[in-house]
């Protein structure tokens, strides 16, 4: 679990909570209430239970990462994930920034 204290992913993600899933290789994103004491859950997750994959999909931020064992926010303000097994570190950045990194 990591709280993103940065706007590097975009203003809408600042101070949100990100959770890595070691079993399914997903990153989940949860918005917090204004005083950051509770999750902002509505709709099918208002009861705080994902009863099926469809309900869970509303909080999935990213998929296909294999086994996520750690999430960190580095000084550059980006999220980085550590993948268990391959021992790989991946930077999470907006798509346009990822394209720039490929040049």
């Amino acid at each position: 679990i990591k709280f993103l204290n940065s706007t590097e992913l975009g203003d809408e993600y600042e101070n949100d909570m990100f959770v890595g899933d070691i079993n399914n290789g997903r990153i989940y994103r949860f918005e917090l209430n204004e005083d950051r004491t509770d999750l902002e859950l509505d709709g099918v997750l208002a009861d705080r239970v994902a009863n099926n994959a469809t309900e869970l999909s509303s909080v999935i931020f990213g998929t296909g990462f294999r086994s996520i064992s750690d999430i960190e926010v580095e000084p550059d303000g980006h999220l980085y994930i550590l993948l268990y097994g391959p021992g790989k570190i991946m930077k999470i950045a907006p798509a346009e920034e990822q394209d720039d990194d490929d040049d």
Side-chain angles (χ1 to χ4, degrees):
I1 294 175
K2 191 57 65 178
F3 296 94
L4 182 63
N5 57 350
S6 163
T7 59
E8 288 299 320
L9 287 179
D11 292 341
E12 68 271 29
Y13 301 109
E14 184 178 20
N15 296 317
D16 287 354
M17 182 175 74
F18 290 84
V19 179
D21 179 345
I22 196 163
N23 292 319
N24 298 301
R26 297 179 185 143
I27 300 173
Y28 304 98
R29 171 188 170 225
F30 297 94
E31 294 182 59
L32 302 173
N33 64 7
E34 194 164 317
D35 60 1
R36 299 184 68 192
T37 59
D38 202 1
L39 301 177
E40 288 284 329
L41 297 172
D42 54 13
V44 295
L45 290 181
D47 65 355
R48 300 181 174 273
V49 177
N51 295 307
N52 55 52
T54 301
E55 290 186 9
L56 186 62
S57 68
S58 67
V59 293
I60 294 176
F61 178 76
T63 62
F65 296 106
R66 296 183 56 171
S67 297
I68 299 171
S69 62
D70 195 14
I71 300 178
E72 292 295 332
V73 178
E74 291 299 310
D76 67 0
H78 289 96
L79 283 175
Y80 287 81
I81 59 173
L82 174 63
L83 304 181
Y84 179 78
K88 186 174 183 179
I89 296 173
M90 298 182 75
K91 176 181 177 180
I92 307 300
E96 62 273 5
E97 189 173 324
Q98 292 289 346
D99 292 340
D100 291 343
D101 288 346
D102 292 339
D103 293 338

